[in-house]
Amino acid sequence: MQGPTFDAEHLVVSSLQMKGVEEKLFSCGMPEEALMEKVGLLMKNWFLSNKEFLKDGVFILVGPGHNGGDGLVLARELHLLGIKVILWCPLPIKKKLTKKHLKYCTSLGIQQLKNQPDLNSNELWIEALFGLGQKRKMPIEIENILKKRDQLKPGNLISLDVPAGICSDSGNLLGAIAAKASYTLTVGLIKTGLIQDAALPYVGNLIRLDIGIPEIFLSQLMPSPLRLSSLDLNLFDLPKISPKAGKYERGRVFLIAGSNNFKGASLLALKGALASGAGSVQAVMTDKIADFLWPIVPEVIFHHCSQVSKTNDDVQIRNSLNKINFDRIDSLLIGPGLGISDEDWGEAAFLLKGFKGLLVIDADGLNRISLSNDGWKWLCKRSGPTWITPHITEFRRLFPEIDSSCPLKAAVMASRKTGVGVLLKGAHSVIATPEGMVWQLTNTSPFVARAGLGDVLAGFIAGIGAMGLISSQRPNFDLLAYAVLLHAHAASSCKKGTNAELVAKNLGALVNKIQHQKVQVDTFFGDK
């Protein structure tokens, strides 16, 4: 398999899995005291590498469990270094080990606040209230304190392991308020909830503290989701195409996209397909769109389809499919900018059931399936590989019975039900396969959620998929993950702007750079 392996840096786990890892460590002989010491010292080292946070001292909110104990070890170490430390325990301490650490901190003379804190103080707040596996909402008094503190001193709080008030698994709020951290120092492995879109405003910058989990324990967590970031680009490969291949042997892509009301969607999807490096790109468009686009993208072969819906300007799928020689294409993209037609998808798309190439369905293609008699069950009738690319609203239309409150779990369930690859788009997009393999993007830019980027992505995926089909006779799902990662990196690294047209251009340049680097490596060192 291409891409990252199941290592500590990439694994994403549930709270139950993380607790299981800790229990294995204890059963093998590691004392709980030793693990708490290790975690506290790792936190201390991180703060010493970021001393600007300590200039005004720290105020540590100590919870009743072992998360509070981690905070107390940190408090002790910072105090011994001469840093001003104040403790506050808003709830009775329950864990024996945490009580011992609190007693020792008190014996060292560390100040313990008895009343509610000064919400306007300059000290850095370090939140160690609940950590992993919190299930219930916080007491309203603590919620109010965290809310007011964030209003008065925004960004002046760091959470240990998991921000208080966040579900470790779904990332959703457990109550009305959660701790809003500028940094979250999470222990051991990344918890699922920390990278879900709902949690992003509260997690801030996510830092993983490596506690040294043995590889044998990690291997027992397979299959678990893997997180992806731009740092992982070199772990994937583009499809390997023969150096002597002609244009029709480098991936043949066909697009049904756009309508008279949404001309831009068709253009951007075409630019995404062209950026992939696929050898041949064709499209079926209405006369108006084809006449508009061919001077802009003259390398595309246009097939005119003058017949549109009787009630509006939206393209008819049946008429478009009749223009295609399915034996001479590798992938087909349907959806960007098509609009909602009055034709029935099931009847119009009967030719797609037997298409052996890759079918990519996006946007209004998915919305049309949602309105059909079969709904998502139509996807199960496909004989060839299929990838779908909904955003959360389109996903809910297509799968109304699936709980989408946790996008990662929702994508996994949808993929298993349908047997197709699912890209659930969001700030941290999820890629899920029917076999249970899951990737989720992380560290993406918040500034590139802009109109048209989804159209570019859909075209790019279709192009990369076509090349994969030519290369290996099947479009591997890791190639879908790679295409999404390349698109995200191109968007975040584009120096000239973040609009879709510029990102598409940057995406093409990125693919070209990777292709040339690969050629040089293969030429001088041989293809290993």
Side-chain angles (χ1 to χ4, degrees):
M1 187 198 80
Q2 296 180 3
T5 56
F6 288 86
D7 58 27
E9 188 60 32
H10 293 95
L11 273 168
V12 180
V13 296
S14 67
S15 56
L16 187 62
Q17 287 176 309
M18 190 65 229
K19 288 177 180 178
V21 169
E22 293 176 352
E23 289 301 322
K24 287 178 182 177
L25 291 173
F26 300 148
S27 67
C28 289
M30 172 176 266
E32 287 190 56
E33 295 86 347
L35 181 58
M36 187 174 288
E37 280 291 315
K38 190 170 191 176
V39 171
L41 292 175
L42 286 169
M43 291 175 175
K44 179 200 76 170
N45 292 338
W46 185 86
F47 276 102
L48 292 183
S49 298
N50 298 272
K51 290 184 178 180
E52 65 275 12
F53 292 117
L54 304 175
K55 59 184 177 62
D56 295 316
V58 299
F59 177 82
I60 301 181
L61 292 80
V62 180
H66 285 167
N67 187 242
D70 296 338
L72 289 168
V73 175
L74 173 62
R76 180 197 73 207
E77 292 298 305
L78 294 180
H79 172 77
L80 292 174
L81 291 171
I83 296 165
K84 176 186 175 184
V85 178
I86 302 173
L87 302 175
W88 184 48
C89 306
L91 298 168
I93 302 299
K94 294 182 178 180
K95 292 291 185 179
K96 183 178 180 180
L97 186 53
T98 304
K99 288 181 180 179
K100 287 184 177 181
H101 280 295
L102 179 59
K103 181 179 179 181
Y104 186 48
C105 285
T106 303
S107 72
L108 292 175
I110 299 177
Q111 180 184 354
Q112 182 180 352
L113 202 65
K114 299 299 181 183
N115 300 314
Q116 287 194 3
D118 176 7
L119 302 182
N120 205 29
S121 65
N122 290 324
E123 293 93 0
L124 171 73
W125 281 33
I126 300 176
E127 181 269 306
L129 287 172
F130 302 105
L132 183 68
Q134 184 184 354
K135 299 297 183 185
R136 294 178 295 179
K137 69 177 185 178
M138 293 182 288
I140 191 169
E141 296 83 2
I142 297 178
E143 283 190 338
N144 288 336
I145 286 172
L146 291 172
K147 179 180 179 180
K148 292 177 182 177
R149 170 67 180 184
D150 183 62
Q151 291 172 343
L152 293 170
K153 297 285 183 178
N156 199 27
L157 182 144
I158 291 177
S159 286
L160 304 186
D161 205 18
V162 179
I166 293 291
C167 173
S168 308
D169 295 330
S170 70
N172 294 319
L173 295 184
L174 296 168
I177 298 296
K180 188 172 286 188
S182 57
Y183 286 82
T184 296
L185 311 184
T186 200
V187 176
L189 301 172
I190 300 296
K191 288 74 183 176
T192 303
L194 293 176
I195 60 173
Q196 301 312 306
D197 289 3
L200 297 186
Y202 304 94
V203 172
N205 296 289
L206 182 59
I207 307 296
R208 187 183 71 86
L209 300 179
D210 191 350
I211 60 174
I213 301 171
E215 288 188 11
I216 189 171
F217 292 172
L218 298 178
S219 65
Q220 294 169 1
L221 296 172
M222 297 173 60
S224 288
L226 297 177
R227 63 172 180 151
L228 297 176
S229 72
S230 293
L231 297 175
D232 301 313
L233 284 171
N234 64 337
L235 300 179
F236 291 88
D237 286 319
L238 286 170
K240 296 179 180 179
I241 307 295
S242 171
K244 64 180 181 180
K247 60 184 178 182
Y248 297 121
E249 299 169 301
R250 294 181 177 273
R252 301 165 297 179
V253 191
F254 205 106
L255 284 73
I256 301 176
S259 60
N260 292 336
N261 291 327
F262 302 104
K263 297 183 180 71
S266 51
L267 175 60
L268 292 171
L270 287 171
K271 289 194 171 185
L274 292 169
S276 71
S280 169
V281 179
Q282 302 180 61
V284 58
M285 305 282 179
T286 65
D287 292 336
K288 289 182 181 179
I289 298 179
D291 291 341
F292 168 70
L293 291 183
W294 77 257
I296 303 174
V297 281
E299 56 269 75
V300 176
I301 298 175
F302 288 98
H303 301 264
H304 291 245
C305 180
S306 58
Q307 293 183 348
V308 295
S309 169
K310 296 178 180 179
T311 58
N312 52 43
D313 282 339
D314 297 325
V315 173
Q316 296 287 79
I317 294 296
R318 181 192 293 271
N319 296 332
S320 300
L321 293 178
N322 286 333
K323 300 286 185 177
I324 302 175
N325 182 345
F326 287 97
D327 293 330
R328 302 193 66 180
I329 66 172
D330 301 303
S331 73
L332 171 62
L333 167 63
I334 299 179
L338 286 182
I340 302 300
S341 173
D342 53 5
E343 69 174 344
D344 180 74
W345 172 273
E347 295 179 2
F350 72 96
L351 290 174
L352 295 175
K353 293 180 183 179
F355 173 47
K356 300 299 182 182
L358 171 65
L359 176 63
V360 179
I361 311 177
D362 179 62
D364 284 329
L366 297 171
N367 290 332
R368 292 189 185 195
I369 295 176
S370 302
L371 295 172
S372 69
N373 293 329
D374 289 333
W376 62 263
K377 294 179 181 178
W378 180 89
L379 297 168
C380 304
K381 300 178 180 180
R382 275 273 297 151
S383 57
T386 307
W387 295 346
I388 63 173
T389 61
H391 56 59
I392 192 64
T393 302
E394 292 162 349
F395 183 92
R396 288 169 179 160
R397 290 191 193 109
L398 188 58
F399 301 102
E401 74 283 9
I402 295 180
D403 178 6
S404 59
S405 60
C406 179
L408 191 149
K409 293 180 180 179
V412 170
M413 184 174 294
S415 186
R416 287 176 176 168
K417 286 167 73 79
T418 59
V420 307
V422 176
L423 163 60
L424 181 48
K425 295 180 291 190
H428 282 177
S429 296
V430 179
I431 303 98
T433 77
E435 294 78 20
M437 189 64 215
V438 189
W439 298 268
Q440 186 160 18
L441 296 191
T442 59
N443 300 328
T444 55
S445 171
F447 307 111
V448 295
R450 302 189 63 185
L453 279 172
D455 302 321
V456 173
L457 177 58
F460 185 68
I461 287 171
I464 291 289
M467 295 167 68
L469 200 61
I470 285 287
S471 173
S472 62
Q473 304 306 307
R474 61 191 181 95
N476 298 322
F477 288 111
D478 54 358
L479 200 54
L480 172 59
Y482 187 31
V484 177
L485 180 58
L486 283 169
H487 176 269
H489 179 71
S492 61
S493 65
C494 188
K495 296 181 179 180
K496 294 185 177 180
T498 56
N499 62 294
E501 186 173 12
L502 289 173
V503 170
K505 187 175 181 179
N506 195 44
L507 185 56
L510 176 61
V511 170
N512 185 51
K513 180 180 178 181
I514 294 171
Q515 287 173 327
H516 278 78
Q517 287 174 341
K518 180 62 178 172
V519 167
Q520 290 173 0
V521 170
D522 290 348
T523 300
F524 291 107
F525 300 103
D527 189 357
K528 302 290 181 70

